[in-house]
């Protein structure tokens, strides 16, 4: 990954989640069977209720490399 900032262009949504606390994120180069690229932590823990969802609107996520 070249130096710079990458921002999500589309909505990213995870549905029907189990009750959980989400503390980290990861980026892969495919939706299944892909290669791990890198990961990090959220600035705040995301607390999920059973059946809940996690949604990121366009430009909500910014990853900076370099």
């Amino acid at each position: 990954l070249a130096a710079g900032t990458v921002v999500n262009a589309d909505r990213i949504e995870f549905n029907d989640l189990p009750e959980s606390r989400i503390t980290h994120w990861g980026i892969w180069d495919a939706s299944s069977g892909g290669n791990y690229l890198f990961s990090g932590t959220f600035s705040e823990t995301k607390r999920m209720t059973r059946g809940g969802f996690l949604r990121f609107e366009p430009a909500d996520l910014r990853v900076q490399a370099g």
Side-chain angles (χ1 to χ4, degrees), residues 2 4 8 11 23 27 29-30 32 39 42 46 59 63:
N8 65 306
R11 174 186 283 172
T23 58
I27 296 181
D29 63 3
S32 66
S39 64
F42 285 111
K46 311 292 185 187
V63 177

Side-chain angles (χ1 to χ4, degrees), residues 34-46:
N35 300 296
Y36 166 80
L37 300 176
F38 51 92
S39 64
T41 58
F42 285 111
S43 58
E44 295 180 7
T45 297
K46 311 292 185 187

Side-chain angles (χ1 to χ4, degrees), residues 7-13 53 55-61:
V7 179
N8 65 306
D10 298 315
R11 174 186 283 172
I12 301 169
E13 190 167 276
F53 66 91
R55 177 184 299 148
F56 301 98
E57 297 295 342
D60 275 355
L61 300 175

Side-chain angles (χ1 to χ4, degrees), residues 14-22 46-54:
F14 301 92
N15 295 304
D16 198 24
L17 295 172
E19 183 174 339
S20 58
R21 293 181 186 178
I22 301 173
K46 311 292 185 187
R47 287 176 168 69
M48 301 290 106
T49 58
R50 184 173 181 225
F53 66 91
L54 182 59

